[in-house]
Amino acid sequence: MSESLFADASKRLARAMKYVSISDDALEYLKYPKASLTVSIPVRMDDGSLRIFQGYRVRYDDTRGPGKGGVRYHPNVSLDEVQSLAFWMTFKCAVLNLPFGGAKGGITVNPKELSKLELERLSRGYIDAIADFIGPDIDIPAPDVYTNPTIMGWYMNQYSIIRRQLTPAVVTGKPLSLGGSMGRDTATGTGAFFVIETMMAKFDCPPQQTTVAVQGFGNAGSVVAELLAKAGYKVVAVSDSQGGIYAKKGLDIPSIRRYKEANKGLQALYCEGSVCNIVEHEIITNEQLLALDVDVLVPAALENQITETNVDHIKAKYIFEVANGPITSAADRVLEAKGIYVIPDILANAGGVTVSYFEWVQNRSGMYWSLEEVNQQLKRKIVAETENIWKISQEHAIPMRTAAYAYALQRLGEALSAKGTRHYYAS
């Protein structure tokens, strides 16, 4: 799956290249990752046995700055998948005009099977193995699927032990007490909310008349669902890896989030104070959620959720990719033919890396911002770039994804060409 994922990701560039002026040298650079690392991580388990886990880190491009990208813990992690995610991060950072290149990391593991002590040993072992590959001016990890601020704190601490100096800027998404930024834990969902609000105003869709389904009720999906509900949107369905819930009248998202955090599952509740009542709802699968007749669909789980096999069932009018790569290129073409607007991942979920940038800046300066300042800066930056991409989309009558890739390609091309091109040397 992952190898085809990278090939599929690369296809998005072909269409975008028609709308930019970029040198052949720059395109040649972007065909390949700059550096890829595969490591074996020995972990002594609680029962005394030894297990070896495979870990990866890919720095796809660092022309515009040090690599930046999360680390995911998942049974399906592979080098090819990590390379694809690093490729997307390269364009995501360029879209938001961040001084970073694209990187990504991962460990092939089911973290739910490990104790907390085993998870800490695995995390510190990963940093032991990749310490020479990362750094505040080289490559900066962050949270991703099944990683969190605690794990980022272990990363920072282990790296600091190895370097014999406190180095908070080596990783972002840390706990506040270890140099983390206000708003980083909710940044992906908050950024997505700002993008949705900006775009839905252009489509003349008032919140009170707009229905929403969110696939994936993790850190990003739950945050964007709650923000949309608070803004007046009718969130009618949410799901996690086990399945979902649907209520035509709308769901009380804050109550569901509290239940999820306490019970690790989904239940349609309405809570007033400490009193919660179960409300009428249907149990649905993730596939059924994707096919719901709603105005807005938010895939916020994993990649390859909408493919050729299920794209004909999609009824939503607008799709915002809060997950990385949830729609294949083949499905993209079908959605476009159906007149469904897709707001791509490299814009819609860029809030996380944007606030990671803010955290990195704060770590290096020693000056820390309030939550209000962080969210103001995030909104300013992500709304401005959304407007720029919308303008390109309208000028050329092209999908938002193509416009976003063209926008990022132009920035990447200028940076890569500044190194010198065939034209420069030939003349």
PDB file of all heavy atoms in Angstrom, residues 57-58 60-61 67-70 82-95 98 100-105 140 142 144 324 346 349-350 352-354 356 405 412:
ATOM      1  N   ARG A  57      13.168   7.367   9.670  1.00  0.00           N
ATOM      2  CA  ARG A  57      13.111   8.824   9.575  1.00  0.00           C
ATOM      3  C   ARG A  57      13.541   9.204   8.164  1.00  0.00           C
ATOM      4  O   ARG A  57      14.576   8.737   7.685  1.00  0.00           O
ATOM      5  CB  ARG A  57      14.028   9.488  10.596  1.00  0.00           C
ATOM      6  CG  ARG A  57      13.849  11.035  10.677  1.00  0.00           C
ATOM      7  CD  ARG A  57      12.554  11.430  11.322  1.00  0.00           C
ATOM      8  NE  ARG A  57      12.329  12.890  11.277  1.00  0.00           N
ATOM      9  CZ  ARG A  57      11.212  13.474  11.699  1.00  0.00           C
ATOM     10  NH1 ARG A  57      10.232  12.739  12.214  1.00  0.00           N
ATOM     11  NH2 ARG A  57      11.064  14.780  11.619  1.00  0.00           N
ATOM     12  N   VAL A  58      12.712  10.006   7.503  1.00  0.00           N
ATOM     13  CA  VAL A  58      13.010  10.465   6.150  1.00  0.00           C
ATOM     14  C   VAL A  58      13.009  11.986   6.139  1.00  0.00           C
ATOM     15  O   VAL A  58      12.066  12.615   6.612  1.00  0.00           O
ATOM     16  CB  VAL A  58      11.979   9.931   5.129  1.00  0.00           C
ATOM     17  CG1 VAL A  58      12.219  10.565   3.748  1.00  0.00           C
ATOM     18  CG2 VAL A  58      12.040   8.416   5.032  1.00  0.00           C
ATOM     19  N   TYR A  60      12.864  14.631   3.409  1.00  0.00           N
ATOM     20  CA  TYR A  60      12.632  14.663   1.959  1.00  0.00           C
ATOM     21  C   TYR A  60      13.348  15.832   1.292  1.00  0.00           C
ATOM     22  O   TYR A  60      14.025  15.659   0.277  1.00  0.00           O
ATOM     23  CB  TYR A  60      11.133  14.717   1.638  1.00  0.00           C
ATOM     24  CG  TYR A  60      10.870  14.268   0.219  1.00  0.00           C
ATOM     25  CD1 TYR A  60      10.600  12.928  -0.053  1.00  0.00           C
ATOM     26  CD2 TYR A  60      10.957  15.160  -0.838  1.00  0.00           C
ATOM     27  CE1 TYR A  60      10.414  12.503  -1.358  1.00  0.00           C
ATOM     28  CE2 TYR A  60      10.776  14.745  -2.141  1.00  0.00           C
ATOM     29  CZ  TYR A  60      10.500  13.411  -2.394  1.00  0.00           C
ATOM     30  OH  TYR A  60      10.340  12.982  -3.692  1.00  0.00           O
ATOM     31  N   ASP A  61      13.201  17.020   1.855  1.00  0.00           N
ATOM     32  CA  ASP A  61      13.864  18.186   1.283  1.00  0.00           C
ATOM     33  C   ASP A  61      14.091  19.210   2.387  1.00  0.00           C
ATOM     34  O   ASP A  61      13.213  19.423   3.231  1.00  0.00           O
ATOM     35  CB  ASP A  61      13.017  18.810   0.170  1.00  0.00           C
ATOM     36  CG  ASP A  61      13.712  19.994  -0.482  1.00  0.00           C
ATOM     37  OD1 ASP A  61      14.582  19.774  -1.337  1.00  0.00           O
ATOM     38  OD2 ASP A  61      13.396  21.151  -0.109  1.00  0.00           O
ATOM     39  N   GLY A  67      14.376  19.959   8.235  1.00  0.00           N
ATOM     40  CA  GLY A  67      13.229  19.074   8.064  1.00  0.00           C
ATOM     41  C   GLY A  67      12.254  19.229   9.215  1.00  0.00           C
ATOM     42  O   GLY A  67      12.640  19.534  10.343  1.00  0.00           O
ATOM     43  N   LYS A  68      10.970  19.029   8.934  1.00  0.00           N
ATOM     44  CA  LYS A  68       9.940  19.146   9.971  1.00  0.00           C
ATOM     45  C   LYS A  68       8.875  18.102   9.699  1.00  0.00           C
ATOM     46  O   LYS A  68       8.375  17.987   8.573  1.00  0.00           O
ATOM     47  CB  LYS A  68       9.303  20.546   9.951  1.00  0.00           C
ATOM     48  CG  LYS A  68       8.391  20.787  11.144  1.00  0.00           C
ATOM     49  CD  LYS A  68       9.205  21.083  12.384  1.00  0.00           C
ATOM     50  CE  LYS A  68       8.371  21.074  13.650  1.00  0.00           C
ATOM     51  NZ  LYS A  68       8.053  19.710  14.120  1.00  0.00           N
ATOM     52  N   GLY A  69       8.506  17.340  10.699  1.00  0.00           N
ATOM     53  CA  GLY A  69       7.451  16.349  10.507  1.00  0.00           C
ATOM     54  C   GLY A  69       7.311  15.433  11.700  1.00  0.00           C
ATOM     55  O   GLY A  69       8.241  15.258  12.491  1.00  0.00           O
ATOM     56  N   GLY A  70       6.134  14.858  11.829  1.00  0.00           N
ATOM     57  CA  GLY A  70       5.808  14.046  12.991  1.00  0.00           C
ATOM     58  C   GLY A  70       6.413  12.655  12.965  1.00  0.00           C
ATOM     59  O   GLY A  70       7.047  12.231  11.995  1.00  0.00           O
ATOM     60  N   VAL A  82       6.438   6.414   5.247  1.00  0.00           N
ATOM     61  CA  VAL A  82       7.101   7.562   5.866  1.00  0.00           C
ATOM     62  C   VAL A  82       7.632   8.507   4.786  1.00  0.00           C
ATOM     63  O   VAL A  82       7.553   9.736   4.907  1.00  0.00           O
ATOM     64  CB  VAL A  82       8.229   7.084   6.807  1.00  0.00           C
ATOM     65  CG1 VAL A  82       9.068   8.253   7.294  1.00  0.00           C
ATOM     66  CG2 VAL A  82       7.638   6.342   8.004  1.00  0.00           C
ATOM     67  N   GLN A  83       8.160   7.942   3.697  1.00  0.00           N
ATOM     68  CA  GLN A  83       8.647   8.774   2.598  1.00  0.00           C
ATOM     69  C   GLN A  83       7.512   9.583   1.978  1.00  0.00           C
ATOM     70  O   GLN A  83       7.664  10.770   1.662  1.00  0.00           O
ATOM     71  CB  GLN A  83       9.291   7.893   1.529  1.00  0.00           C
ATOM     72  CG  GLN A  83       9.805   8.660   0.324  1.00  0.00           C
ATOM     73  CD  GLN A  83      10.582   7.772  -0.633  1.00  0.00           C
ATOM     74  OE1 GLN A  83      11.579   7.172  -0.250  1.00  0.00           O
ATOM     75  NE2 GLN A  83      10.128   7.689  -1.865  1.00  0.00           N
ATOM     76  N   SER A  84       6.345   8.957   1.825  1.00  0.00           N
ATOM     77  CA  SER A  84       5.188   9.671   1.275  1.00  0.00           C
ATOM     78  C   SER A  84       4.779  10.821   2.174  1.00  0.00           C
ATOM     79  O   SER A  84       4.494  11.929   1.707  1.00  0.00           O
ATOM     80  CB  SER A  84       4.005   8.701   1.125  1.00  0.00           C
ATOM     81  OG  SER A  84       4.346   7.602   0.325  1.00  0.00           O
ATOM     82  N   LEU A  85       4.753  10.571   3.476  1.00  0.00           N
ATOM     83  CA  LEU A  85       4.351  11.608   4.426  1.00  0.00           C
ATOM     84  C   LEU A  85       5.367  12.748   4.461  1.00  0.00           C
ATOM     85  O   LEU A  85       5.005  13.917   4.599  1.00  0.00           O
ATOM     86  CB  LEU A  85       4.179  10.987   5.809  1.00  0.00           C
ATOM     87  CG  LEU A  85       3.026   9.967   5.930  1.00  0.00           C
ATOM     88  CD1 LEU A  85       3.172   9.144   7.207  1.00  0.00           C
ATOM     89  CD2 LEU A  85       1.682  10.657   5.894  1.00  0.00           C
ATOM     90  N   ALA A  86       6.659  12.417   4.318  1.00  0.00           N
ATOM     91  CA  ALA A  86       7.696  13.445   4.267  1.00  0.00           C
ATOM     92  C   ALA A  86       7.555  14.296   3.009  1.00  0.00           C
ATOM     93  O   ALA A  86       7.784  15.512   3.023  1.00  0.00           O
ATOM     94  CB  ALA A  86       9.082  12.803   4.322  1.00  0.00           C
ATOM     95  N   PHE A  87       7.182  13.657   1.925  1.00  0.00           N
ATOM     96  CA  PHE A  87       6.923  14.368   0.658  1.00  0.00           C
ATOM     97  C   PHE A  87       5.792  15.378   0.854  1.00  0.00           C
ATOM     98  O   PHE A  87       5.909  16.549   0.480  1.00  0.00           O
ATOM     99  CB  PHE A  87       6.563  13.322  -0.399  1.00  0.00           C
ATOM    100  CG  PHE A  87       6.112  13.874  -1.725  1.00  0.00           C
ATOM    101  CD1 PHE A  87       7.032  14.220  -2.697  1.00  0.00           C
ATOM    102  CD2 PHE A  87       4.765  14.005  -2.021  1.00  0.00           C
ATOM    103  CE1 PHE A  87       6.618  14.708  -3.939  1.00  0.00           C
ATOM    104  CE2 PHE A  87       4.330  14.490  -3.252  1.00  0.00           C
ATOM    105  CZ  PHE A  87       5.272  14.848  -4.213  1.00  0.00           C
ATOM    106  N   TRP A  88       4.683  14.940   1.457  1.00  0.00           N
ATOM    107  CA  TRP A  88       3.565  15.852   1.720  1.00  0.00           C
ATOM    108  C   TRP A  88       3.981  16.998   2.631  1.00  0.00           C
ATOM    109  O   TRP A  88       3.573  18.143   2.432  1.00  0.00           O
ATOM    110  CB  TRP A  88       2.390  15.093   2.341  1.00  0.00           C
ATOM    111  CG  TRP A  88       1.537  14.375   1.345  1.00  0.00           C
ATOM    112  CD1 TRP A  88       1.133  14.838   0.134  1.00  0.00           C
ATOM    113  CD2 TRP A  88       0.986  13.063   1.478  1.00  0.00           C
ATOM    114  NE1 TRP A  88       0.360  13.880  -0.499  1.00  0.00           N
ATOM    115  CE2 TRP A  88       0.247  12.792   0.295  1.00  0.00           C
ATOM    116  CE3 TRP A  88       1.036  12.085   2.464  1.00  0.00           C
ATOM    117  CZ2 TRP A  88      -0.432  11.595   0.093  1.00  0.00           C
ATOM    118  CZ3 TRP A  88       0.367  10.899   2.260  1.00  0.00           C
ATOM    119  CH2 TRP A  88      -0.362  10.657   1.080  1.00  0.00           C
ATOM    120  N   MET A  89       4.804  16.688   3.645  1.00  0.00           N
ATOM    121  CA  MET A  89       5.237  17.737   4.568  1.00  0.00           C
ATOM    122  C   MET A  89       6.061  18.802   3.859  1.00  0.00           C
ATOM    123  O   MET A  89       5.999  19.990   4.205  1.00  0.00           O
ATOM    124  CB  MET A  89       6.055  17.137   5.712  1.00  0.00           C
ATOM    125  CG  MET A  89       5.225  16.464   6.802  1.00  0.00           C
ATOM    126  SD  MET A  89       4.074  17.590   7.638  1.00  0.00           S
ATOM    127  CE  MET A  89       5.199  18.827   8.267  1.00  0.00           C
ATOM    128  N   THR A  90       6.845  18.397   2.857  1.00  0.00           N
ATOM    129  CA  THR A  90       7.629  19.359   2.086  1.00  0.00           C
ATOM    130  C   THR A  90       6.722  20.413   1.471  1.00  0.00           C
ATOM    131  O   THR A  90       6.992  21.624   1.541  1.00  0.00           O
ATOM    132  CB  THR A  90       8.422  18.635   0.982  1.00  0.00           C
ATOM    133  OG1 THR A  90       9.298  17.673   1.591  1.00  0.00           O
ATOM    134  CG2 THR A  90       9.231  19.606   0.146  1.00  0.00           C
ATOM    135  N   PHE A  91       5.614  19.967   0.887  1.00  0.00           N
ATOM    136  CA  PHE A  91       4.691  20.887   0.235  1.00  0.00           C
ATOM    137  C   PHE A  91       3.843  21.648   1.253  1.00  0.00           C
ATOM    138  O   PHE A  91       3.507  22.821   1.046  1.00  0.00           O
ATOM    139  CB  PHE A  91       3.820  20.129  -0.766  1.00  0.00           C
ATOM    140  CG  PHE A  91       4.589  19.732  -1.991  1.00  0.00           C
ATOM    141  CD1 PHE A  91       5.296  18.545  -2.028  1.00  0.00           C
ATOM    142  CD2 PHE A  91       4.646  20.563  -3.095  1.00  0.00           C
ATOM    143  CE1 PHE A  91       6.042  18.183  -3.137  1.00  0.00           C
ATOM    144  CE2 PHE A  91       5.372  20.223  -4.211  1.00  0.00           C
ATOM    145  CZ  PHE A  91       6.082  19.033  -4.239  1.00  0.00           C
ATOM    146  N   LYS A  92       3.510  20.994   2.348  1.00  0.00           N
ATOM    147  CA  LYS A  92       2.715  21.658   3.383  1.00  0.00           C
ATOM    148  C   LYS A  92       3.463  22.853   3.965  1.00  0.00           C
ATOM    149  O   LYS A  92       2.900  23.938   4.134  1.00  0.00           O
ATOM    150  CB  LYS A  92       2.364  20.656   4.486  1.00  0.00           C
ATOM    151  CG  LYS A  92       1.345  21.148   5.484  1.00  0.00           C
ATOM    152  CD  LYS A  92       1.087  20.114   6.565  1.00  0.00           C
ATOM    153  CE  LYS A  92       0.612  18.798   6.009  1.00  0.00           C
ATOM    154  NZ  LYS A  92       0.306  17.821   7.072  1.00  0.00           N
ATOM    155  N   CYS A  93       4.761  22.670   4.255  1.00  0.00           N
ATOM    156  CA  CYS A  93       5.550  23.770   4.807  1.00  0.00           C
ATOM    157  C   CYS A  93       5.704  24.891   3.789  1.00  0.00           C
ATOM    158  O   CYS A  93       5.717  26.074   4.161  1.00  0.00           O
ATOM    159  CB  CYS A  93       6.918  23.253   5.256  1.00  0.00           C
ATOM    160  SG  CYS A  93       6.855  22.173   6.709  1.00  0.00           S
ATOM    161  N   ALA A  94       5.807  24.539   2.508  1.00  0.00           N
ATOM    162  CA  ALA A  94       5.910  25.565   1.469  1.00  0.00           C
ATOM    163  C   ALA A  94       4.594  26.307   1.312  1.00  0.00           C
ATOM    164  O   ALA A  94       4.586  27.530   1.100  1.00  0.00           O
ATOM    165  CB  ALA A  94       6.334  24.925   0.145  1.00  0.00           C
ATOM    166  N   VAL A  95       3.465  25.608   1.391  1.00  0.00           N
ATOM    167  CA  VAL A  95       2.151  26.255   1.296  1.00  0.00           C
ATOM    168  C   VAL A  95       1.997  27.321   2.361  1.00  0.00           C
ATOM    169  O   VAL A  95       1.506  28.426   2.100  1.00  0.00           O
ATOM    170  CB  VAL A  95       1.018  25.206   1.404  1.00  0.00           C
ATOM    171  CG1 VAL A  95      -0.304  25.865   1.769  1.00  0.00           C
ATOM    172  CG2 VAL A  95       0.854  24.456   0.091  1.00  0.00           C
ATOM    173  N   LEU A  98       6.524  28.364   5.678  1.00  0.00           N
ATOM    174  CA  LEU A  98       7.306  28.142   6.885  1.00  0.00           C
ATOM    175  C   LEU A  98       8.756  27.878   6.492  1.00  0.00           C
ATOM    176  O   LEU A  98       9.018  27.273   5.457  1.00  0.00           O
ATOM    177  CB  LEU A  98       6.756  26.948   7.665  1.00  0.00           C
ATOM    178  CG  LEU A  98       5.273  27.014   8.039  1.00  0.00           C
ATOM    179  CD1 LEU A  98       4.848  25.727   8.733  1.00  0.00           C
ATOM    180  CD2 LEU A  98       4.984  28.221   8.923  1.00  0.00           C
ATOM    181  N   PHE A 100      10.880  25.690   6.785  1.00  0.00           N
ATOM    182  CA  PHE A 100      11.153  24.277   7.014  1.00  0.00           C
ATOM    183  C   PHE A 100      11.096  23.511   5.714  1.00  0.00           C
ATOM    184  O   PHE A 100      10.419  23.911   4.761  1.00  0.00           O
ATOM    185  CB  PHE A 100      10.111  23.664   7.957  1.00  0.00           C
ATOM    186  CG  PHE A 100      10.160  24.128   9.378  1.00  0.00           C
ATOM    187  CD1 PHE A 100       8.984  24.375  10.076  1.00  0.00           C
ATOM    188  CD2 PHE A 100      11.362  24.296  10.039  1.00  0.00           C
ATOM    189  CE1 PHE A 100       9.010  24.791  11.399  1.00  0.00           C
ATOM    190  CE2 PHE A 100      11.404  24.726  11.360  1.00  0.00           C
ATOM    191  CZ  PHE A 100      10.220  24.963  12.043  1.00  0.00           C
ATOM    192  N   GLY A 101      11.781  22.368   5.714  1.00  0.00           N
ATOM    193  CA  GLY A 101      11.575  21.376   4.675  1.00  0.00           C
ATOM    194  C   GLY A 101      10.650  20.302   5.210  1.00  0.00           C
ATOM    195  O   GLY A 101      10.087  20.427   6.304  1.00  0.00           O
ATOM    196  N   GLY A 102      10.497  19.221   4.450  1.00  0.00           N
ATOM    197  CA  GLY A 102       9.584  18.158   4.854  1.00  0.00           C
ATOM    198  C   GLY A 102      10.316  16.932   5.368  1.00  0.00           C
ATOM    199  O   GLY A 102      11.311  16.497   4.792  1.00  0.00           O
ATOM    200  N   ALA A 103       9.820  16.370   6.468  1.00  0.00           N
ATOM    201  CA  ALA A 103      10.390  15.150   7.033  1.00  0.00           C
ATOM    202  C   ALA A 103       9.268  14.355   7.684  1.00  0.00           C
ATOM    203  O   ALA A 103       8.152  14.856   7.871  1.00  0.00           O
ATOM    204  CB  ALA A 103      11.479  15.471   8.049  1.00  0.00           C
ATOM    205  N   LYS A 104       9.548  13.133   8.053  1.00  0.00           N
ATOM    206  CA  LYS A 104       8.572  12.294   8.753  1.00  0.00           C
ATOM    207  C   LYS A 104       9.304  11.120   9.376  1.00  0.00           C
ATOM    208  O   LYS A 104      10.385  10.730   8.918  1.00  0.00           O
ATOM    209  CB  LYS A 104       7.488  11.790   7.798  1.00  0.00           C
ATOM    210  CG  LYS A 104       6.154  11.521   8.472  1.00  0.00           C
ATOM    211  CD  LYS A 104       5.436  12.815   8.818  1.00  0.00           C
ATOM    212  CE  LYS A 104       4.062  12.557   9.449  1.00  0.00           C
ATOM    213  NZ  LYS A 104       3.325  13.818   9.651  1.00  0.00           N
ATOM    214  N   GLY A 105       8.701  10.553  10.403  1.00  0.00           N
ATOM    215  CA  GLY A 105       9.284   9.390  11.059  1.00  0.00           C
ATOM    216  C   GLY A 105       8.211   8.428  11.502  1.00  0.00           C
ATOM    217  O   GLY A 105       7.023   8.750  11.493  1.00  0.00           O
ATOM    218  N   ILE A 140      13.374  18.302  12.847  1.00  0.00           N
ATOM    219  CA  ILE A 140      12.677  18.518  14.117  1.00  0.00           C
ATOM    220  C   ILE A 140      11.415  17.650  14.173  1.00  0.00           C
ATOM    221  O   ILE A 140      10.432  17.954  13.503  1.00  0.00           O
ATOM    222  CB  ILE A 140      12.303  20.007  14.269  1.00  0.00           C
ATOM    223  CG1 ILE A 140      13.543  20.901  14.100  1.00  0.00           C
ATOM    224  CG2 ILE A 140      11.633  20.269  15.602  1.00  0.00           C
ATOM    225  CD1 ILE A 140      13.283  22.153  13.341  1.00  0.00           C
ATOM    226  N   ALA A 142       7.893  15.766  15.709  1.00  0.00           N
ATOM    227  CA  ALA A 142       6.674  16.266  16.352  1.00  0.00           C
ATOM    228  C   ALA A 142       5.717  15.087  16.514  1.00  0.00           C
ATOM    229  O   ALA A 142       5.974  13.999  16.010  1.00  0.00           O
ATOM    230  CB  ALA A 142       6.048  17.365  15.496  1.00  0.00           C
ATOM    231  N   ASP A 144       2.409  12.642  15.918  1.00  0.00           N
ATOM    232  CA  ASP A 144       1.589  12.221  14.784  1.00  0.00           C
ATOM    233  C   ASP A 144       0.647  11.137  15.319  1.00  0.00           C
ATOM    234  O   ASP A 144       0.278  11.165  16.492  1.00  0.00           O
ATOM    235  CB  ASP A 144       2.479  11.723  13.634  1.00  0.00           C
ATOM    236  CG  ASP A 144       1.750  11.653  12.301  1.00  0.00           C
ATOM    237  OD1 ASP A 144       1.521  12.721  11.703  1.00  0.00           O
ATOM    238  OD2 ASP A 144       1.395  10.546  11.856  1.00  0.00           O
ATOM    239  N   ASN A 324      -3.821  13.022   6.516  1.00  0.00           N
ATOM    240  CA  ASN A 324      -2.866  13.076   5.417  1.00  0.00           C
ATOM    241  C   ASN A 324      -3.246  12.054   4.356  1.00  0.00           C
ATOM    242  O   ASN A 324      -3.368  10.864   4.652  1.00  0.00           O
ATOM    243  CB  ASN A 324      -1.450  12.779   5.919  1.00  0.00           C
ATOM    244  CG  ASN A 324      -0.876  13.907   6.745  1.00  0.00           C
ATOM    245  OD1 ASN A 324      -0.868  15.047   6.312  1.00  0.00           O
ATOM    246  ND2 ASN A 324      -0.411  13.592   7.947  1.00  0.00           N
ATOM    247  N   ILE A 346      -2.586  19.420   2.458  1.00  0.00           N
ATOM    248  CA  ILE A 346      -1.428  20.297   2.636  1.00  0.00           C
ATOM    249  C   ILE A 346      -1.826  21.714   3.022  1.00  0.00           C
ATOM    250  O   ILE A 346      -0.973  22.519   3.392  1.00  0.00           O
ATOM    251  CB  ILE A 346      -0.511  20.298   1.398  1.00  0.00           C
ATOM    252  CG1 ILE A 346      -1.248  20.783   0.144  1.00  0.00           C
ATOM    253  CG2 ILE A 346       0.094  18.918   1.184  1.00  0.00           C
ATOM    254  CD1 ILE A 346      -0.334  20.966  -1.057  1.00  0.00           C
ATOM    255  N   ASN A 349      -4.827  20.657   6.972  1.00  0.00           N
ATOM    256  CA  ASN A 349      -4.296  20.179   8.251  1.00  0.00           C
ATOM    257  C   ASN A 349      -2.944  20.796   8.602  1.00  0.00           C
ATOM    258  O   ASN A 349      -2.197  20.254   9.411  1.00  0.00           O
ATOM    259  CB  ASN A 349      -4.231  18.645   8.290  1.00  0.00           C
ATOM    260  CG  ASN A 349      -3.136  18.062   7.405  1.00  0.00           C
ATOM    261  OD1 ASN A 349      -2.226  18.756   6.964  1.00  0.00           O
ATOM    262  ND2 ASN A 349      -3.218  16.773   7.146  1.00  0.00           N
ATOM    263  N   ALA A 350      -2.648  21.940   8.012  1.00  0.00           N
ATOM    264  CA  ALA A 350      -1.346  22.575   8.231  1.00  0.00           C
ATOM    265  C   ALA A 350      -1.259  23.355   9.536  1.00  0.00           C
ATOM    266  O   ALA A 350      -0.209  23.921   9.850  1.00  0.00           O
ATOM    267  CB  ALA A 350      -1.011  23.496   7.054  1.00  0.00           C
ATOM    268  N   GLY A 352      -1.122  22.211  12.541  1.00  0.00           N
ATOM    269  CA  GLY A 352      -0.185  21.560  13.461  1.00  0.00           C
ATOM    270  C   GLY A 352       1.248  21.991  13.232  1.00  0.00           C
ATOM    271  O   GLY A 352       1.963  22.375  14.164  1.00  0.00           O
ATOM    272  N   VAL A 353       1.698  21.935  11.974  1.00  0.00           N
ATOM    273  CA  VAL A 353       3.088  22.305  11.691  1.00  0.00           C
ATOM    274  C   VAL A 353       3.296  23.810  11.849  1.00  0.00           C
ATOM    275  O   VAL A 353       4.389  24.255  12.201  1.00  0.00           O
ATOM    276  CB  VAL A 353       3.515  21.815  10.289  1.00  0.00           C
ATOM    277  CG1 VAL A 353       2.837  22.606   9.176  1.00  0.00           C
ATOM    278  CG2 VAL A 353       5.028  21.900  10.130  1.00  0.00           C
ATOM    279  N   THR A 354       2.247  24.590  11.639  1.00  0.00           N
ATOM    280  CA  THR A 354       2.376  26.041  11.823  1.00  0.00           C
ATOM    281  C   THR A 354       2.640  26.380  13.285  1.00  0.00           C
ATOM    282  O   THR A 354       3.544  27.173  13.603  1.00  0.00           O
ATOM    283  CB  THR A 354       1.114  26.765  11.325  1.00  0.00           C
ATOM    284  OG1 THR A 354       0.899  26.440   9.942  1.00  0.00           O
ATOM    285  CG2 THR A 354       1.251  28.266  11.464  1.00  0.00           C
ATOM    286  N   SER A 356       3.786  24.252  15.448  1.00  0.00           N
ATOM    287  CA  SER A 356       5.100  23.674  15.734  1.00  0.00           C
ATOM    288  C   SER A 356       6.202  24.680  15.414  1.00  0.00           C
ATOM    289  O   SER A 356       7.198  24.795  16.142  1.00  0.00           O
ATOM    290  CB  SER A 356       5.313  22.394  14.913  1.00  0.00           C
ATOM    291  OG  SER A 356       4.771  21.269  15.572  1.00  0.00           O
ATOM    292  N   TYR A 405      -0.738  22.811  -4.724  1.00  0.00           N
ATOM    293  CA  TYR A 405       0.539  22.245  -5.164  1.00  0.00           C
ATOM    294  C   TYR A 405       1.297  23.226  -6.050  1.00  0.00           C
ATOM    295  O   TYR A 405       2.531  23.341  -5.957  1.00  0.00           O
ATOM    296  CB  TYR A 405       0.322  20.913  -5.876  1.00  0.00           C
ATOM    297  CG  TYR A 405       0.315  19.737  -4.935  1.00  0.00           C
ATOM    298  CD1 TYR A 405      -0.869  19.216  -4.431  1.00  0.00           C
ATOM    299  CD2 TYR A 405       1.497  19.145  -4.518  1.00  0.00           C
ATOM    300  CE1 TYR A 405      -0.882  18.146  -3.554  1.00  0.00           C
ATOM    301  CE2 TYR A 405       1.508  18.077  -3.639  1.00  0.00           C
ATOM    302  CZ  TYR A 405       0.317  17.583  -3.161  1.00  0.00           C
ATOM    303  OH  TYR A 405       0.314  16.528  -2.287  1.00  0.00           O
ATOM    304  N   LEU A 412       9.050  26.326  -3.703  1.00  0.00           N
ATOM    305  CA  LEU A 412      10.134  25.347  -3.687  1.00  0.00           C
ATOM    306  C   LEU A 412      11.059  25.546  -4.878  1.00  0.00           C
ATOM    307  O   LEU A 412      12.285  25.473  -4.755  1.00  0.00           O
ATOM    308  CB  LEU A 412       9.558  23.933  -3.688  1.00  0.00           C
ATOM    309  CG  LEU A 412       8.940  23.460  -2.377  1.00  0.00           C
ATOM    310  CD1 LEU A 412       8.053  22.244  -2.606  1.00  0.00           C
ATOM    311  CD2 LEU A 412      10.031  23.136  -1.358  1.00  0.00           C
TER     312      LEU A 412
END
